Amino acid sequence: MQASDRFNINSQLEHLQAKYVGTGHADLNRFEWAVNIQRDSYASYIGHYPLLAYFAIAENESIGRERYNFMQKMLLPCGLPPEREDD
């Protein structure tokens, strides 16, 4: 692999990371990454009707109630953020 290939790959990765939040970046901590994954999952569950219907049947709830529950879970999917250390 040549130096120009590495530069090209890194510039493409930086472009994707700037364009899409879920792809992460160098300063992304573990909590923020987990929140992105959880929110993407809940959005996918809400957006795909058969999957939403499956969850509704499995939990014996209506589809509307499951959609509402998933949207509520998207607010704080991993709980409160940890305390930041200001060094």
Side-chain angles (χ1 to χ4, degrees):
M1 183 183 285
Q2 297 176 348
S4 62
D5 291 339
R6 271 188 249 139
F7 176 76
N8 190 18
I9 291 170
N10 285 336
S11 66
Q12 288 176 357
L13 183 60
E14 288 174 5
H15 175 72
L16 284 175
Q17 290 171 342
K19 190 173 180 181
Y20 301 107
V21 176
T23 56
H25 52 82
D27 297 329
L28 192 70
N29 63 26
R30 182 182 177 130
F31 177 79
E32 293 170 345
W33 178 81
V35 166
N36 285 340
I37 296 298
Q38 287 289 79
R39 285 187 177 150
D40 286 348
S41 297
Y42 289 137
S44 178
Y45 301 157
I46 292 169
H48 293 91
Y49 186 81
L51 197 52
L52 186 62
Y54 175 79
F55 282 116
I57 291 170
E59 295 185 10
N60 197 23
E61 292 282 351
S62 68
I63 292 173
R65 173 58 65 180
E66 279 300 310
R67 182 178 287 120
Y68 175 79
N69 289 339
F70 285 144
M71 284 193 283
Q72 290 298 314
K73 288 179 183 178
M74 285 176 75
L75 294 175
L76 287 174
C78 298
L80 295 174
E83 295 289 325
R84 290 190 180 234
E85 295 177 10
D86 295 330
D87 292 330

